[in-house]
């Protein structure tokens, strides 16, 4: 049996930033001159004078402290110390610290030990040091001198390098025999759980025990598990429950027990002295329920020693309360799922049904506390927000979350991929730079992660770290060790390892990266220093592109940018490094599942209203600085427009990206970076959710799920630009990955004029009775004849897949929407001869000529040449990648091209210049060629507000003009400046360019 003595609450405390150590802070009792509420951190408890720094690249912790902190408390053990028995000498006292940094422990002045795991609870067997009913416990915690830097577990860019103790803090008193741990695996074909219990017998002889095992299936209550549900109860519990609390007794409020339950017992089982194992197979024969992302049924299993034969011939028993009473402290509880997550060929399978990973990156960013919550409610709140956005997979960048995160993922149905806390060069023994202590620390961390959390059904995958270089064979050997230890997990050597020259090792179960060779790219956007750019950044917008050729090796380009000595300079973390580029003798063609790594990274301008949310530990000095910079440029009145219009373009880029991924039949999943803003590394505002995982108002969760869900339909067509009188051809594809058989369905499309609502074409395809649910399939094709017209038309294509209507008794019918999507297209008058069209339009390309005409009172349309655009920035369609500040520095350090760094157009859509060119206030596909063939003039220091301006990044905040008016004090006429080379585009046959130049020309005639 066990007794838990809770040590949360007030401790005596002192800081030791200078790391003076034992003499100053332990032997001199008066040094403990303050109190500290544990669990908690220095920053959370504000236990030092606040700083006043203003970093612009990450959220600021005013109470940052690196060094030692000391805690002291006298613990009363009389409740357990005085209970004598014939085996009292075998009682064990274990100090348990759930999550902390490097810890050191003393009991009554004697040193108990040191432990340094980031993820495993620190446990100290202090039995030999307990000599009386009251014991003085001293704990020192250091957040320096790590064996490895710790990745995002310690980064100022994510959860900060906090110092303190989180989670459970207790002394656990064990009586002779205890269950130390349990491992579990599914035996799916038999609907059974195979449990391996590890026992510790502290006596020198074998002891017989009676073991009781009970199980019960649980799930989130329906009101909390349905999409877009009322989250008020979860949000309320997350707010009320201290972030550092591990208490989950209130979990019953959110979960319900199902009929699948049972019990199992073992009588008079011998437990040998020391450590021993017992394997038990429990048949779940009462309505067995399997776990998946769609059907997350979780089994709560408790094992309890209910009788111990202290005297060998006598069994003592006591009543067992099941399931599950308040005597949980005397039992070992675990969460388990009947599931098999596997890799077969190029795809992942859950319970033998093909699945597709729609993932997000996570660095455990929690601005209110500066650390990840230790209770399930805090994780349910943020993971539910992700699930509502269609996410079914989390990749934890160089970190492993606490157990509460795995439980939340269990209940919501999320496939988890934690990583070792490592981002660098992975060395093998004998390699230059090999650090035995560091490599052994990482090796143990992996085993600790598997030992502590792999019984959770959500723990499906594991990686050795982020963007690693070094010894691939050494990585493979470590994967082999982990695979032999826990066979129910899928492993990879790392996320985007070896970057430009990736490899696949024998023990890689899946591949995660961004390319196979320089031009075989598997995502749509890249940094300037990692060019070539991706298709979202450079290709004419359409909906037919996919990555199948890149994955299958159809493009055979083994070129690499290496120097004569065989080294290449790469982006390395947030800096640069020269590394040896592997020989590429053959095309790397994967035969295992491929995940597209860190997809997206499309930046939005800040929403400065967000600063009001930062009421906790971390402060948004970076956002305040960005606002001040905008004010200094005199552009603060544009802040809200910049946010909304950059955000609209970013959403469009994400839609393009995700639909491309879903169209790729040989891809197994993707990991977005991100749906959530990343407030570090220069401040990367790449999310449609803010850093609190709350919607920024750019797109609703429902609309996002149109293109990011387990069932998505798409219209596939070459271009968004149509021609009046032409034909619009498109296919409708279905990407479906479902545990359930899809019902009989019908497909409807409606093609209508967006301005008037007039329907030009519609059709219904019936009899879709055998829809595939294991990938992409074409379910319909259509061709629409467009009417001849001399004006521009904006059309909307709506496609809807719904269940076949079922008639009810009253004669009515009912159907359910399975998937829906929509696309806006632009149709222009045809153009026979661009040269001829231009002859009828007056414009200038010479600045001097334009000024002379303006002086004479003539209004002028000016397209300035490149020589006049020296103070300008290249126009680009897609919004900036990740963060201009960080990649500017990286590019400068590598001597490479500086990123363009702009965030899309900010358009006065109601301006009369666009009377004959309908537009939104943000960048849409009709602007692609226009923007790509432009240079935006820097108008800093003027009072010019562009009619169409490019939004600059929040480091520079240039006033950038694509289309604007000029009028000098001594001129009678005005000049309308357009920095896109529309005449060239018209000559090349771009009908959208002709439409715009005609609209501008008509406006010039009316300028006053």
């Amino acid at each position: 049996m066990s007794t838990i003595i809770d040590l949360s609450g007030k401790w005596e405390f002192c800081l030791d930033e200078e790391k003076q150590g034992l003499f100053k802070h332990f032997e001199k009792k008066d040094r403990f001159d303050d109190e500290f509420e544990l669990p908690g951190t220095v920053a959370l408890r504000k236990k030092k004078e606040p700083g006043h720094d203003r970093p612009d690249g990450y959220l600021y912790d005013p109470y940052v402290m690196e060094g030692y902190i000391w805690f002291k408390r006298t613990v009363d053990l009389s409740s357990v110390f005085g209970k004598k028995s014939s085996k009292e000498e075998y009682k064990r006292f274990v100090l348990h610290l759930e999550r902390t940094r490097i810890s050191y422990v003393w009991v009554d002045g004697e040193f108990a030990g040191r432990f340094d795991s980031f993820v495993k609870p620190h446990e100290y067997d202090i039995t030999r040091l307990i000599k009386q009913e009251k014991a003085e416990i001293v704990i020192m915690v250091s957040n320096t001198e790590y064996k490895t830097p710790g990745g995002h577990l310690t980064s100022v860019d994510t959860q900060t390098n906090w110092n303190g103790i989180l989670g459970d803090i207790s002394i656990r008193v064990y009586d002779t025999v205890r269950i130390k741990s349990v491992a579990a695996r599914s035996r799916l074909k038999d609907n059974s759980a195979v449990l391996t219990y590890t026992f510790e017998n502290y006596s020198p002889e074998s002891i017989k025990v009676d073991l009781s095992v009970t199980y019960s299936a649980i799930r989130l209550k329906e009101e909390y598990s349905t999409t877009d549900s009322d989250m008020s109860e979860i949000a309320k519990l997350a707010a009320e429950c201290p972030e550092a609390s591990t208490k989950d007794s209130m979990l019953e409020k959110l979960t319900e027990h199902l009929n699948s339950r049972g019990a199992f017992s073992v009588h008079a089982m011998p437990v040998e002295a020391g450590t021993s194992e017992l394997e038990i197979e429990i048949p779940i024969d009462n309505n067995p329920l399997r776990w998946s992302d769609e059907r997350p049924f979780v089994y709560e299993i408790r094992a309890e020693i209910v009788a111990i034969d202290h005297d060998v011939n006598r069994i003592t028993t006591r009543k067992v309360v099941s399931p599950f009473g308040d005597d949980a402290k005397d039992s070992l509880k675990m969460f388990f799922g009947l599931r098999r997550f596997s890799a077969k060929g190029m795809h992942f399978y859950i319970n033998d049904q093909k699945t597709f990973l729609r993932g997000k990156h996570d660095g455990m960013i929690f601005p209110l506390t500066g650390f990840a919550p230790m209770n399930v409610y805090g994780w349910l709140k943020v993971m539910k927000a992700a699930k509502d956005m269609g996410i079914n997979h989390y990749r934890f960048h160089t970190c492993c979350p606490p157990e509460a995160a795995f439980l939340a993922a269990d209940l919501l149905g999320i496939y988890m991929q934690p990583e070792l806390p490592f981002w660098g060069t992975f060395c093998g023994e004998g390699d230059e730079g090999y650090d035995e202590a560091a490599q052994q620390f990482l090796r143990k961390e992996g085993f600790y992660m598997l030992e502590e959390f792999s019984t959770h059904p959500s723990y499906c995958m594991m990686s050795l770290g982020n963007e690693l270089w070094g010894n691939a064979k050494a990585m493979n050997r470590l994967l082999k060790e982990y695979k032999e230890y826990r066979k129910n997990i899928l492993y990879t050597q790392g996320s985007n390892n070896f970057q430009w020259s990736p490899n696949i090792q024998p023990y890689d179960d899946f591949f995660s990266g961004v390319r196979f060779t320089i031009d075989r790219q598997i995502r749509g956007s890249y940094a300037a220093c990692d060019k070539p750019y991706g298709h979202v950044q450079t290709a004419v917008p359409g909906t037919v592109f996919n990555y199948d050729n890149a994955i299958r090796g159809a493009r055979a380009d083994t070129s690499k940018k290496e120097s004569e000595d065989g080294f290449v300079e790469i982006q390395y973390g947030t800096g640069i490094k020269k590394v040896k580029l592997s020989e590429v003798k053959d095309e790397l063609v994967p035969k295992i599942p491929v995940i597209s790594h860190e997809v997206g990274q499309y930046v939005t301008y800040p929403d400065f209203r967000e600063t009001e949310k930062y009421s906790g530990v971390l402060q948004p000095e970076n956002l305040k600085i960005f606002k001040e910079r905008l004010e200094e440029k005199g552009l603060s009145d544009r802040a809200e427009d910049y946010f909304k219009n950059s955000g609209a373009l970013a959403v469009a880029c994400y839609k393009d990206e995700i639909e491309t991924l879903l169209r790729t039949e040989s891809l197994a999943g993707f990991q977005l970076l991100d749906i959530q803003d990343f407030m570090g590394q220069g401040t990367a505002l790449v999310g449609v959710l803010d850093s609190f995982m709350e919607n920024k108002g750019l797109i609703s969760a429902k609309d996002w799920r149109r293109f990011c869900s387990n069932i998505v339909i798409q219209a596939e067509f070459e271009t968004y630009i149509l021609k009046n009188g032409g034909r619009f051809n498109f296919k409708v594809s279905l990407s479906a990955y479902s545990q359930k058989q899809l019902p009989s369905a019908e497909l409807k499309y409606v093609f209508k004029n967006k301005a008037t609502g007039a329907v030009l074409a519609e059709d219904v395809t019936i009899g879709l009775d055998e829809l595939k649910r294991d990938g992409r399939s074409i379910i319909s094709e259509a061709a629409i004849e467009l009417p001849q017209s001399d004006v521009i038309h904006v059309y909307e294509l709506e496609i809807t897949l719904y269940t076949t209507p079922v008639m009810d008794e009253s004669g009515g019918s009912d159907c359910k929407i399975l998937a829906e999507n929509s696309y806006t297209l632009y149709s222009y008058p045809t153009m026979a001869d661009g040269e001829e069209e231009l002859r009828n339009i007056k414009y200038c390309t010479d600045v001097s000529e334009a000024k002379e005409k303006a002086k004479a009172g003539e209004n002028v349309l000016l397209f300035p040449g490149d020589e006049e655009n020296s103070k300008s920035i290249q126009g680009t369609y897609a919004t900036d990648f990740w963060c201009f500040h960080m990649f500017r520095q990286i590019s400068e350090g590598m001597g490479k091209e500086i990123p363009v760094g702009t965030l899309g157009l900010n358009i006065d859509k109601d301006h009369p210049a666009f009377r004959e060119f309908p537009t939104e206030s943000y960048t849409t596909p009709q602007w692609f060629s226009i923007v790509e063939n432009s240079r935006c003039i820097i108008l800093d220091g003027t009072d010019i507000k562009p009619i169409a301006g490019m939004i600059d990044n929040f480091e520079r905040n240039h006033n950038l003009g694509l289309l604007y008016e000029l009028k000098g004090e001594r001129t009678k006429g005005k000049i309308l400046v357009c920095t896109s080379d529309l005449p060239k585009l018209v000559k090349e046959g771009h009908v959208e360019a002709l439409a715009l130049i005609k609209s501008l020309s008509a406006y010039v005639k009316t300028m006053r």
Side-chain angles (χ1 to χ4, degrees):
M1 308 305 164
S2 67
T3 300
I4 297 176
I5 300 174
D6 183 10
L7 299 184
S8 63
K10 295 190 183 303
W11 286 64
E12 294 179 72
F13 161 80
C14 65
L15 282 178
D16 185 5
E17 291 185 88
E18 298 79 20
K19 299 192 286 190
Q20 295 297 302
L22 250 149
F23 176 76
K24 180 178 179 183
H25 292 284
F26 177 40
E27 292 183 348
K28 293 193 174 185
K29 308 295 185 182
D30 60 345
R31 293 292 182 181
F32 291 88
D33 55 0
D34 195 2
E35 286 187 337
F36 196 104
E37 187 79 18
L38 285 176
T41 65
V42 173
L44 187 69
R45 303 301 178 211
K46 301 180 180 180
K47 288 299 181 180
K48 61 170 291 185
E49 288 297 315
H52 300 285
D53 196 7
R54 301 196 75 203
D56 63 358
Y58 50 88
L59 296 174
Y60 177 53
D61 177 3
Y63 300 94
V64 63
M65 191 288 273
E66 293 192 350
Y68 300 162
I69 55 176
W70 296 78
F71 304 102
K72 184 177 73 171
R73 180 169 175 174
T74 298
V75 181
D76 187 348
L77 301 173
S78 59
S79 61
V80 290
F81 196 86
K83 293 183 178 179
K84 301 295 183 181
S85 73
S86 59
K87 298 294 179 180
E88 174 67 27
E89 64 269 28
Y90 305 129
K91 190 184 292 289
R92 281 296 184 270
F93 294 81
V94 177
L95 176 65
H96 184 92
L97 313 174
E98 186 179 0
R99 182 159 285 209
T100 182
R101 300 310 199 183
I102 303 172
S103 65
Y104 301 76
V105 172
W106 291 261
V107 178
D108 289 333
E110 293 188 60
F111 185 54
R114 170 190 182 276
F115 201 56
D116 60 1
S117 174
F118 287 123
V119 298
K120 180 181 174 61
H122 294 197
E123 288 197 332
Y124 295 88
D125 187 335
I126 57 175
T127 307
R128 66 179 178 83
L129 305 177
I130 299 297
K131 299 173 182 176
Q132 52 192 355
E133 293 187 354
K134 291 188 177 182
E136 182 185 76
I137 308 293
V138 171
I139 304 170
M140 188 270 276
V141 179
S142 170
N143 63 347
T144 63
E145 303 157 351
Y146 301 132
K147 289 189 174 71
T148 66
H152 279 347
L153 280 170
T154 60
S155 170
V156 69
D157 297 296
T158 54
Q159 61 173 295
T160 76
N161 187 26
W162 52 263
N163 200 338
I165 305 173
L166 307 176
D168 176 74
I169 305 169
S170 62
I171 292 177
R172 301 181 177 192
V173 186
Y174 300 105
D175 184 14
T176 313
V177 177
R178 72 149 167 160
I179 305 170
K180 183 180 180 182
S181 64
V182 61
R185 68 180 189 275
S186 297
R187 187 162 286 169
L188 206 64
K189 64 178 181 178
D190 300 325
N191 288 321
S192 64
V194 180
L195 309 177
T196 302
Y197 286 98
T198 300
F199 293 88
E200 283 193 345
N201 177 1
Y202 302 121
S203 74
E205 59 188 10
S206 176
I207 293 179
K208 294 179 181 179
V209 302
D210 280 1
L211 181 70
S212 172
V213 181
T214 56
Y215 67 84
S216 176
I218 63 171
R219 68 177 177 187
L220 277 180
K221 291 179 180 177
E222 284 294 330
E223 59 264 38
Y224 305 122
S225 59
T226 55
T227 304
D228 285 337
S229 63
D230 177 11
M231 282 287 291
S232 59
E233 186 69 14
I234 292 177
K236 181 172 176 286
L237 288 170
E240 287 182 352
C241 221
E243 289 291 332
S245 171
T246 57
K247 296 177 181 177
D248 60 3
S249 59
M250 296 175 71
L251 191 59
E252 293 292 329
K253 287 189 174 185
L254 304 177
T255 59
E256 57 187 354
H257 286 267
L258 306 174
N259 289 330
S260 186
R261 60 176 64 196
F264 187 88
S265 61
V266 180
H267 179 68
M269 177 185 69
V271 176
E272 300 301 321
T275 302
S276 59
E277 287 187 350
L278 170 69
E279 184 172 281
I280 304 173
E281 182 174 358
I282 301 178
I284 301 177
D285 50 12
N286 183 8
N287 185 30
L289 300 169
R290 296 183 176 185
W291 185 92
S292 69
D293 62 323
E294 288 185 321
R295 300 166 65 85
F297 296 111
V298 180
Y299 282 93
E300 183 177 332
I301 301 178
R302 296 196 184 189
E304 188 167 13
I305 297 174
V306 296
I308 299 178
D309 177 11
H310 284 304
D311 298 321
V312 182
N313 297 316
R314 180 169 58 84
I315 295 289
T316 59
T317 63
R318 69 181 182 83
K319 183 179 179 182
V320 180
V321 181
S322 173
F324 291 122
D326 293 332
D327 59 346
K329 67 180 182 179
D330 292 326
S331 64
L332 190 148
K333 178 175 65 175
M334 57 166 286
F335 295 93
F336 169 80
L338 273 176
R339 64 91 170 147
R340 176 164 54 237
F341 187 79
S342 58
K344 300 176 186 177
M346 299 287 289
H347 296 282
F348 295 112
Y349 290 78
I350 181 68
N351 305 330
D352 299 322
Q353 178 64 42
K354 189 186 291 184
T355 190
F356 189 88
L357 302 187
R358 304 179 303 277
K360 80 174 290 294
H361 156 288
D362 199 271
M364 300 200 292
I365 298 171
F366 292 87
L368 295 182
T369 58
F371 58 83
M374 300 299 293
N375 64 68
V376 70
Y377 318 112
W379 281 102
L380 278 175
K381 180 179 181 291
V382 297
M383 286 185 167
K384 181 62 173 62
K387 199 72 189 285
D388 282 352
M389 301 293 286
I391 297 299
N392 68 353
H393 168 51
Y394 262 61
R395 174 236 169 177
F396 287 89
H397 183 302
T398 58
C399 60
C400 178
E403 185 169 26
F406 290 97
L407 177 52
D410 293 344
L411 294 169
L412 288 167
I414 294 175
Y415 306 120
M416 301 277 270
Q417 180 193 317
E419 290 184 340
L420 295 186
F422 190 57
W423 189 354
T425 300
F426 193 101
C427 296
E429 192 171 354
D431 293 340
E432 182 181 354
Y434 177 72
D435 183 331
E436 172 72 17
Q439 291 302 122
Q440 286 304 314
F441 172 81
L442 288 171
R443 177 179 175 274
K444 288 181 181 178
E445 284 292 270
F447 282 114
Y448 289 152
M449 288 159 57
L450 292 167
E451 176 188 337
E452 292 297 317
F453 310 128
S454 66
T455 60
H456 288 274
S458 59
Y459 194 152
C460 295
M461 309 162 75
M462 183 169 165
S463 161
L464 299 186
N466 180 71
E467 296 178 351
L468 306 180
W469 288 82
N471 190 323
K473 291 183 179 179
M475 297 178 200
N476 186 59
R477 287 193 293 270
L478 184 53
L479 290 179
K480 180 177 184 290
E481 288 190 70
Y482 291 152
K483 191 75 174 177
E484 291 172 348
Y485 183 65
R486 289 288 188 269
K487 295 181 174 62
N488 62 322
I489 307 297
L490 300 183
Y491 299 89
T492 187
Q493 60 179 274
S495 299
N496 198 31
N497 282 12
F498 299 94
Q499 294 187 24
W500 286 354
S501 57
N503 65 82
I504 294 175
Q505 292 297 309
Y507 281 91
D508 277 323
D509 292 314
F510 63 96
F511 173 89
S512 175
V514 303
R515 54 165 58 93
F516 292 99
T517 54
I518 294 297
D519 74 331
R520 287 174 56 201
Q521 299 170 302
I522 56 173
R523 74 179 187 197
S525 60
Y526 294 83
C529 61
D530 290 329
K531 289 172 68 175
Y533 286 128
H535 80 280
V536 176
Q537 296 164 304
T538 61
V540 175
T543 64
V544 294
F545 184 80
N546 63 60
Y547 303 116
D548 281 322
N549 285 340
I551 294 172
R552 294 167 181 164
R555 298 182 212 166
D557 180 358
T558 58
S559 63
K560 46 192 183 293
K561 300 177 181 178
E562 62 178 310
S563 57
E564 291 183 1
D565 61 1
F567 282 80
V568 62
E569 195 170 47
I570 62 158
Q571 175 208 338
Y572 187 76
T574 58
I576 57 175
K577 183 178 182 179
K578 270 195 171 184
V579 296
K580 180 76 173 177
L581 191 63
S582 301
E583 293 285 337
V584 183
K585 297 178 180 178
D586 301 303
E587 285 288 291
L588 178 63
V589 180
K591 305 296 183 184
I592 58 177
V594 173
I595 296 175
S596 186
H597 164 84
E598 294 188 354
V599 167
Q601 308 191 45
Y602 301 108
V603 181
T604 66
Y605 203 81
D607 181 0
F608 296 123
R609 295 169 298 183
E610 184 185 316
T611 57
E612 298 173 2
K613 291 187 176 184
Y614 290 85
S615 58
V617 168
L618 301 184
Q619 296 302 305
E621 296 299 324
N622 47 354
L623 295 181
K624 294 176 183 177
I625 290 170
F626 303 151
K627 184 178 180 181
E628 290 165 6
R629 289 175 181 168
L630 192 66
E631 290 169 346
E632 288 169 3
K633 289 293 186 75
L635 304 178
S636 58
D637 61 323
R638 303 183 198 176
E640 186 174 352
D641 288 339
Y642 281 3
F643 162 67
K644 290 180 179 178
N645 292 327
S646 64
L649 176 58
V651 167
C653 291
Y654 275 115
K655 184 176 191 289
D656 185 350
E657 179 80 87
I658 293 171
E659 290 187 349
T660 300
L661 296 159
L662 291 174
R663 284 193 298 271
T664 304
E665 297 181 13
S666 50
L667 194 68
F670 60 83
Q671 295 161 342
L672 291 173
L673 184 56
D674 198 356
I675 61 169
Q676 177 188 18
D677 282 344
F678 189 97
M679 297 302 290
Q681 294 183 6
T683 309
L685 305 181
V686 294
V688 292
L689 307 183
D690 63 22
S691 61
F692 300 88
M693 286 291 285
E694 295 173 352
N695 199 298
K696 290 162 69 170
L698 300 172
I699 184 173
S700 69
K702 180 180 179 181
D703 286 341
W704 181 273
R705 288 196 307 276
R706 285 183 162 199
F707 54 85
C708 184
S709 186
N710 62 331
I711 302 176
V712 172
I713 56 170
Q714 299 184 45
E716 299 188 8
F717 48 84
E718 293 287 342
T719 176
Y720 286 85
I721 307 301
L722 310 178
K723 294 179 181 179
N724 294 343
R727 175 179 291 182
F728 172 47
N729 299 302
F730 66 94
K731 298 177 182 179
V732 177
S733 66
L734 172 69
S735 296
Y737 300 88
S738 178
Q739 294 292 293
K740 297 174 274 189
Q741 184 65 49
L742 298 182
S744 174
E746 298 182 0
L747 174 70
K748 180 179 181 179
Y749 79 77
V750 177
F751 188 77
K752 63 184 180 181
N753 188 299
K754 195 168 184 179
T756 65
V759 174
L760 276 75
E762 61 181 325
D763 193 23
V764 176
T765 303
I766 62 173
L768 299 174
D769 297 327
E770 297 182 0
L771 292 172
K772 287 177 60 177
R773 57 188 176 104
D774 61 354
R776 173 183 173 270
S777 58
I778 301 297
I779 60 175
S780 182
E781 297 186 34
I784 298 173
E785 300 293 337
L786 302 176
Q788 188 60 260
S789 174
D790 293 331
V791 298
I792 301 168
H793 294 287
V794 182
Y795 295 117
E796 185 167 36
L797 174 64
E798 297 176 341
I799 51 177
T800 307
L801 184 69
Y802 54 89
T803 57
T804 300
V806 177
M807 302 297 292
D808 59 28
E809 295 179 357
S810 64
S813 64
D814 184 34
C815 60
K816 176 184 177 183
I817 293 177
L818 298 174
E820 57 186 339
N821 212 332
S822 64
Y823 302 84
T824 299
L825 299 106
Y826 307 84
S827 188
Y828 298 88
T830 56
M831 175 175 59
D833 185 341
E835 296 276 3
E836 181 63 29
E837 294 281 4
L838 288 173
R839 290 191 188 100
N840 300 319
I841 299 171
K842 290 184 178 181
Y843 63 88
C844 285
T845 58
D846 182 88
V847 175
S848 298
E849 179 186 355
K851 290 180 178 179
E852 289 299 320
K853 288 184 176 182
K855 284 182 180 179
E858 185 177 344
N859 291 338
V860 183
L861 176 57
L862 172 65
F863 299 99
D866 287 344
E867 68 277 6
E868 298 296 334
N869 286 346
S870 58
K871 295 183 178 180
S872 63
I873 291 176
Q874 174 63 47
T876 188
Y877 178 78
T879 185
D880 189 32
F881 181 88
W882 185 246
C883 169
F884 176 79
H885 175 79
M886 187 178 101
F887 278 102
R888 173 185 57 75
Q889 292 181 322
I890 291 172
S891 290
E892 288 173 347
M894 297 174 71
K896 290 193 174 183
E897 175 186 341
I898 302 299
V900 174
T902 53
L903 308 178
L905 293 174
N906 184 56
I907 305 168
D908 181 358
K909 67 185 183 69
D910 297 320
H911 194 280
F914 300 122
R915 185 173 289 119
E916 298 177 27
F917 187 84
T919 182
E920 300 292 344
S921 60
Y922 49 86
T923 311
T924 51
Q926 64 179 339
W927 286 94
F928 175 82
S929 296
I930 298 168
V931 168
E932 289 287 320
N933 287 271
S934 74
R935 293 194 65 86
C936 299
I937 302 292
I938 299 173
L939 300 171
D940 295 356
T942 74
D943 60 357
I944 298 173
K945 184 173 183 179
I947 301 168
M950 188 66 72
I951 304 167
D952 201 12
N953 61 76
F954 37 85
E955 178 173 274
R956 289 186 312 220
N957 287 297
H958 286 317
N959 181 14
L960 297 175
L962 175 71
L963 180 66
Y964 56 94
E965 292 183 22
L966 286 177
K967 182 174 181 178
E969 294 180 1
R970 300 180 181 179
T971 62
K972 298 178 181 179
K974 286 187 175 182
I975 301 175
L976 181 64
V977 182
C978 179
T979 65
S980 175
D981 196 347
L982 297 185
K984 176 178 81 78
L985 291 173
V986 172
K987 292 173 185 178
E988 293 174 354
H990 288 269
V991 290
E992 70 277 20
L994 176 61
L996 179 56
I997 199 171
K998 283 184 173 181
S999 186
L1000 299 182
S1001 178
Y1003 169 65
V1004 166
K1005 297 173 184 177
T1006 67
M1007 289 193 302
R1008 296 288 183 270

